[in-house]
Amino acid sequence: MNNELERLSKEIRACEVCKKDLPLGPNPVFRIKETARINIIGQAPGTKVHASGVPWDDASGRRLREWMGVDPEIFYDATKIAIVPMGFCYPGKGKSGDLPPRPECAPLWHKPLLNKAPEIQLTLLIGAYAQAYYLGDRRKETLTETVKAFEEYLPEYLPLVHPSPRNQIWLKKNGWFEEEVVPFLQQRIKLLLFE
């Protein structure tokens, strides 16, 4: 890791900007190296990831790796795949699950961090928060429509539904996702990482 990226990463790991709002305290979870070619922007760590410090270390992560067609060794190789969530710390629980990612993280850390990784050629925007932040007015009316129109955002971005087991009903209703989007994703990953 170059000195600037290392310094910035240490600064982020020490961040306490929203400490008072984090029920489990700060524990920023992200991975990035300057040579990464793919970036994954999800929501925020859940309690399991907060405890382990390993991003996507849960059922959602297993499904995401299946969709991408990569094993854990490749997925967790930060020289290949960066993981920079919208919120770096576990935000807490709400009435219908985890709270949204803290709004401070992305504006504060994304640009300086991603500027240090110039090789990124594809960013996976997982879920509504990442899509809202990065696609803005280019988003469609619903997440489903945005994901269905994924080709409009290429080559820079690929919007995806969250791989959470809670989205099983969505996946059953939207068979086109695993028939069209997943094979495209796997082909693109293979091209970027292995060819």
Side-chain angles (χ1 to χ4, degrees):
M1 191 180 288
N2 70 34
N3 288 341
E4 282 185 44
L5 184 52
E6 194 172 324
R7 180 194 51 73
L8 182 59
S9 294
K10 281 182 183 172
E11 194 179 332
I12 293 169
R13 290 192 205 302
C15 178
E16 294 189 341
V17 167
C18 53
K19 180 179 181 176
K20 66 180 176 32
D21 299 307
L22 300 171
L24 301 180
N27 182 24
V29 178
F30 67 101
R31 291 184 180 206
I32 189 168
K33 297 262 175 93
E34 60 277 353
T35 57
R37 302 198 69 193
I38 294 164
N39 183 24
I40 299 170
I41 300 180
Q43 192 164 305
T47 53
K48 185 173 183 198
V49 169
H50 174 85
S52 72
V54 179
W56 296 97
D57 181 26
D58 54 17
S60 296
R62 282 190 296 280
R63 179 175 273 161
L64 178 58
R65 289 187 286 279
E66 286 172 17
W67 287 352
M68 293 172 71
V70 297
D71 62 28
E73 188 179 329
I74 297 290
F75 186 82
Y76 289 114
D77 182 347
T79 66
K80 293 178 169 60
I81 298 174
I83 301 173
V84 181
M86 289 301 295
F88 288 25
C89 298
Y90 171 66
K93 275 266 184 259
K95 289 179 185 173
S96 59
D98 288 345
L99 290 171
R102 294 294 315 162
E104 297 88 348
C105 285
L108 188 59
W109 299 120
H110 277 207
K111 191 172 182 182
L113 203 52
L114 296 174
N115 281 344
K116 307 263 185 289
E119 303 297 318
I120 291 171
Q121 294 185 35
L122 177 67
T123 297
L124 307 182
L125 300 175
I126 300 176
Y129 297 105
Q131 291 166 22
Y133 191 82
Y134 280 92
L135 300 179
D137 294 347
R138 296 171 58 205
R139 279 183 309 153
K140 306 298 179 194
E141 209 166 297
T142 67
L143 180 135
T144 299
E145 289 170 33
T146 301
V147 173
K148 200 165 198 172
F150 72 95
E151 290 174 298
E152 290 181 27
Y153 310 107
L154 294 168
E156 191 174 8
Y157 299 118
L158 180 57
L160 299 173
V161 66
H162 198 284
S164 167
R166 296 174 71 179
N167 280 336
Q168 199 58 37
I169 293 169
W170 187 94
L171 290 167
K172 282 191 170 136
K173 281 185 186 173
N174 297 280
W176 53 267
F177 178 80
E178 290 186 320
E179 289 165 15
E180 298 167 32
V181 182
V182 170
F184 178 87
L185 170 62
Q186 291 178 357
Q187 183 182 30
R188 193 89 175 102
I189 300 280
K190 190 176 175 193
L191 190 68
L192 290 171
L193 296 186
F194 305 112
E195 292 180 8

